Amino acid sequence: VCPLTDKKTIDKVRQTFDNYESNCFEVLLYKKNRTPVWLYMQVAPISNENDKVVLFLCTFKDITVFKQPIEDETTRGWTKFARLTRALTNSRSTLQQLTPMNKTEVSHKHSRLAEALQLGSDILPQYKQEAPKTPPHMILHYCTFKTTWDWVILILTFYTAIMVPYNVSFKTKQNNLVWLVLDSVVDVIFLVDIVLNFHTTFVGPGGEVISDPKLIRMNYLKTWFVIDLLSCLPYDIINAFENVNEGLSSLFSSLKVVRLLRLGRVARKLDHYLEYGAAVLVLLVCVFGLVAHWLACIWYSIGDYEVIDEATNSIKTDSWLYQLAISIGTPYRYNASGSGQWEGGPSKHTLYISSLYFTMTSLTTIGFGNIAPTTDGEKIFSVAMMMVGCKYH
């Protein structure tokens, strides 16, 4: 540090580092060729997740032109005021950057809140973010609107991950107007999300913010466009029509499973939460519940497929569905005078609760035995479920 630097400034710098504060100073340094350089120095403490300062971010801006106007060949003979005016005009961008950092901008709690709300794992750190020049119709991937929109898509994706397997396995036609309208709104929101993704910036391989519309569209078309498009098709509306035959209805119901591929995007966006202990615990509980729900739907589908032998049109008494129906007093009965099919049995609500109960006890290796696999298909699935459950222990 040059001796011309004020001693009070030097003491202020030392005090800033000792007290972990943010501040700004003007200091005079020398280059290797002994040329003096005035620098505007900004200091900001950076804290970790335990609110402990682990490093200081120091930025330096050259303000020599404001302290000592340089005389070159083009300004020789000018007055000192004229040279200063020319230097200020040529350094307008530097002048705009000399706004001191306030405490709100470097507040660790503020940055932690912003980081917690961001759903993108490729979000740049706060001190590296610079608002790029983007076209008017482009949306910055880290702006408040996009962050809020990502949370909405996240919630609707989990709703889809719960309802799609249930509707497919239990073969529910969406005749309920409320659920049909709700699912239609979800489809429209997913469709709007596709449009927004064509106009949202992303972080390139070099860490730069890509705002070129052509590059954004090509990147989205190569990655998630096909999956997002298949996930927003109105399968429920098509499946709700009464004149749709059973085979086509089953096809539309099966295609809805494609929506579960959206969970890949959720996993990519949530991976930066793994550094928080509480967040990891919540995510593990949610994943465990979601896996148990999926397995419950598969467990019911196996029982529903095997409980009635279509070749002989007879009931299989060793199926877990038949055993459950007998135990709760709602046995299956054959309607010979009417439809000529097997009717009765437990309600869908009871069947789902019983299936979820069985998968939960199997995944946690408790297994009370009141619901047990009996057929070969049920036993094979139970073995696979036990192998999944051992991963959680």
Side-chain angles (χ1 to χ4, degrees), residues 215-289:
L215 294 178
I216 291 175
R217 290 161 188 163
M218 291 300 298
N219 177 74
Y220 184 51
L221 287 173
K222 292 178 181 178
T223 53
W224 293 97
F225 171 72
V226 175
I227 294 177
D228 290 347
L229 180 62
L230 292 176
S231 67
C232 70
L233 295 179
Y235 302 111
D236 294 321
I237 295 180
I238 300 175
N239 200 27
F241 291 104
E242 295 295 339
N243 57 353
V244 176
N245 60 56
E246 191 67 25
L248 191 59
S249 176
S250 300
L251 175 62
F252 285 128
S253 297
S254 301
L255 286 176
K256 291 192 295 184
V257 180
V258 177
R259 295 181 176 181
L260 299 182
L261 295 177
R262 274 182 167 266
L263 290 177
R265 298 183 66 182
V266 175
R268 185 177 63 88
K269 290 177 177 295
L270 293 180
D271 60 355
H272 73 293
Y273 280 92
L274 298 180
E275 60 180 290
Y276 308 104
V280 171
L281 181 60
V282 173
L283 287 176
L284 286 177
V285 172
C286 293
V287 170
F288 179 80

Side-chain angles (χ1 to χ4, degrees), residues 99-145:
T99 304
M101 300 173 64
N102 55 46
K103 294 183 178 180
T104 304
E105 291 176 341
V106 298
S107 172
H108 178 64
K109 292 183 178 179
H110 179 271
S111 63
R112 297 291 288 182
L113 178 60
E115 180 184 356
L117 291 177
Q118 294 290 352
L119 284 179
S121 58
D122 50 5
I123 295 299
L124 298 177
Q126 185 180 4
Y127 56 85
K128 288 186 179 180
Q129 288 181 2
E130 295 181 2
K133 294 181 180 179
T134 58
H137 60 280
M138 285 298 164
I139 303 173
L140 292 176
H141 63 280
Y142 53 83
C143 67
T144 304
F145 167 76

Side-chain angles (χ1 to χ4, degrees), residues 4-63:
L4 294 179
T5 303
D6 190 3
K7 291 184 177 180
K8 292 183 178 180
T9 301
I10 298 177
D11 294 336
K12 196 175 180 181
V13 173
R14 184 180 294 107
Q15 182 180 2
T16 298
F17 283 101
D18 291 341
N19 298 336
Y20 304 107
E21 299 174 344
S22 61
N23 216 327
C24 51
F25 323 95
E26 292 182 2
V27 295
L28 179 62
L29 303 177
Y30 281 102
K31 298 181 180 179
K32 290 184 178 180
N33 58 2
R34 307 297 297 173
T35 302
V37 179
W38 277 97
L39 296 175
Y40 184 78
M41 176 181 177
Q42 293 177 319
V43 180
I46 305 298
S47 303
N48 59 12
E49 62 273 10
N50 297 323
D51 287 335
K52 181 179 179 181
V53 177
V54 293
L55 57 91
F56 288 89
L57 175 65
C58 300
T59 57
F60 300 89
K61 296 180 176 64
D62 190 350
I63 58 172

Side-chain angles (χ1 to χ4, degrees), residues 284-300:
L284 286 177
V285 172
C286 293
V287 170
F288 179 80
L290 197 59
V291 170
H293 168 73
W294 291 348
L295 294 176
C297 294
I298 298 175
W299 172 250
Y300 166 75

